[in-house]
Amino acid sequence: MFKLTGRGTTSLMLLGTLLGVGLTATPAKAISQSKKKILASYAKYDRKVTKTSKKVDSEFDRVGMRNLPKLTRINMSSTKVMPFEPDVFTIGNRLTVGNENRTHGVTLNKHSVVIGSVNNWGFANIKTPTLSKKNQKKVFNVIGKKWSFAVSMKKLTKPAQTAFLTKHTPNTAFAHGAYSNLPTLYQKNRQSYFDDDRRNNGFITVTADNYLNYYNKYSTKSGNPNYTKVAQSVKIKKFNRGKSVYTYYLAKPMKGFGTKKVTISGKKLYRLKMSLGHVFQAYDSYNGDAGTFRITVNVGHKKFYANLENIAEAYAYYLQGSSDGNAAFNEQTAKTYIQGLQ
């Protein structure tokens, strides 16, 4: 059985990153009792605090929320740290996008703000759940509600690619200049100890017009996601991008998250904090091979996680005293890079 770690994981996750999708594929009801027992054993093992686990948590905690995107972006080299490329753009021309079938197209206006990229074939990809509410409604009504990504209807010319990749400049809750502040955060649960996490697992994202969106129980009866079905969507009125803690001041409370009512400049707002937590490892659900490292993100009273990609994965293995990380990225180079973020 192929072990989902190192360069194998990187290749698969790159496809997901380019298309704006996650590798969450296992229906929750499909888990057998034996698999549930295995997950319980993983969770029990993970709860044991050791000198090594404390060291791993401490090292990544020092990196801080502000650098979380640098831990979750794939580096396209196993030996050299590549430049941290922008992913947020204020597109310079109107752009017509569709789903992967390209049967229907919908046009985003010039100056629309997107998280996206242009792939090696010259097609633009954008993440649909991070579009502004107005653009989400426009796009989902045409391409369908199950697509977490949209692609340009045609290959872009070089000038069109340059126009698409117009760097976003404002600093907001959504982005710090041309860099997204937050990767997609998936809700942490027992099944998160499997590489193939629960299909349609709950997640949090921030939209281009600065709404904090929480998706939960958003799949249809047929099992397809419906990205118009947002469990909670709250306007972010103020944002503090601290190194270790992100602080969101919301227009209204978020149920179940433990938001705290505060008064800012005479206005009642609701404070929600995000910070990094425990680093844990997921496993292959078929043969139990150790795989993806994930970092817990504390979001108020709830726990989410983000996948650590190849540089961070190599450093996690290094801290464990294992050379397995070299399959993902040179461990010594990873050590220098991660410690430089602290």
Side-chain angles (χ1 to χ4, degrees), residues 25-302:
T26 302
K29 293 181 180 179
I31 301 177
S32 65
Q33 288 299 319
S34 61
K35 290 290 179 68
K36 288 180 180 179
K37 290 181 179 180
I38 293 172
L39 285 169
S41 68
Y42 289 154
K44 182 178 180 181
Y45 175 78
D46 188 48
R47 285 194 297 269
K48 293 181 178 179
V49 178
T50 66
K51 185 177 180 180
T52 298
S53 68
K54 288 173 67 176
K55 183 177 181 180
V56 173
D57 287 351
S58 175
E59 283 293 295
F60 280 97
D61 183 62
R62 289 168 60 191
V63 170
M65 277 296 300
R66 189 182 296 175
N67 285 317
L68 178 60
K70 293 185 177 180
L71 300 178
T72 59
R73 295 269 193 97
I74 296 167
N75 190 77
M76 293 305 295
S77 169
S78 61
T79 57
K80 179 182 178 181
V81 178
M82 306 303 290
F84 187 58
E85 298 292 345
D87 66 336
V88 183
F89 307 102
T90 304
I91 60 177
N93 286 330
R94 287 157 57 92
L95 179 72
T96 302
V97 297
N99 59 36
E100 67 176 15
N101 301 318
R102 295 191 179 88
T103 53
H104 298 85
V106 57
T107 301
L108 295 175
N109 291 332
K110 182 179 179 180
H111 302 316
S112 292
V113 178
V114 303
I115 290 180
S117 63
V118 175
N119 65 25
N120 292 334
W121 300 276
F123 289 89
N125 306 285
I126 63 170
K127 291 179 68 175
T128 54
T130 59
L131 291 170
S132 68
K133 284 195 167 189
K134 181 180 178 180
N135 276 338
Q136 281 191 42
K137 183 177 181 180
K138 185 178 182 179
V139 169
F140 288 134
N141 281 345
V142 175
I143 75 169
K145 301 174 182 179
K146 69 177 182 178
W147 301 98
S148 62
F149 66 95
V151 295
S152 57
M153 293 291 284
K154 61 182 181 180
K155 181 178 179 179
L156 303 185
T157 63
K158 288 296 183 181
Q161 291 183 36
T162 300
F164 175 84
L165 298 171
T166 303
K167 292 182 182 179
H168 183 69
T169 56
N171 295 327
T172 66
F174 175 63
H176 189 74
Y179 302 88
S180 52
N181 280 321
L182 199 68
T184 301
L185 302 180
Y186 296 97
Q187 193 144 10
K188 187 178 179 182
N189 50 62
R190 183 160 289 180
Q191 195 172 324
S192 301
Y193 290 104
F194 278 160
D195 273 330
D196 50 345
D197 202 345
R198 185 172 58 187
R199 180 184 294 165
N200 303 327
N201 190 15
F203 68 92
I204 274 183
T205 192
V206 175
T207 66
D209 51 349
N210 297 302
Y211 279 84
L212 187 64
N213 280 0
Y214 171 50
Y215 291 80
N216 185 38
K217 298 180 180 179
Y218 56 98
S219 62
T220 63
K221 290 183 179 179
S222 62
N224 288 322
N226 177 353
Y227 290 108
T228 67
K229 191 177 180 182
V230 185
Q232 297 185 63
S233 181
V234 181
K235 182 69 174 179
I236 302 166
K237 304 296 286 187
K238 181 181 172 63
F239 173 65
N240 181 15
R241 184 177 179 267
K243 183 180 187 299
S244 298
V245 179
Y246 281 177
T247 306
Y248 299 86
Y249 295 92
L250 309 174
K252 61 182 183 180
M254 290 188 71
K255 184 178 179 181
F257 282 79
T259 48
K260 183 178 181 180
K261 185 189 293 185
V262 295
T263 301
I264 306 291
S265 301
K267 296 182 179 180
K268 291 183 179 179
L269 300 174
Y270 296 85
R271 186 175 65 203
L272 178 69
K273 294 186 176 183
M274 289 189 190
S275 61
L276 298 182
H278 175 57
V279 175
F280 64 101
Q281 194 161 21
Y283 301 83
D284 188 297
S285 61
Y286 295 99
N287 60 11
D289 280 350
T292 308
F293 279 94
R294 292 169 170 168
I295 188 164
T296 304
V297 179
N298 303 308
V299 184
H301 290 170
K302 291 184 179 291

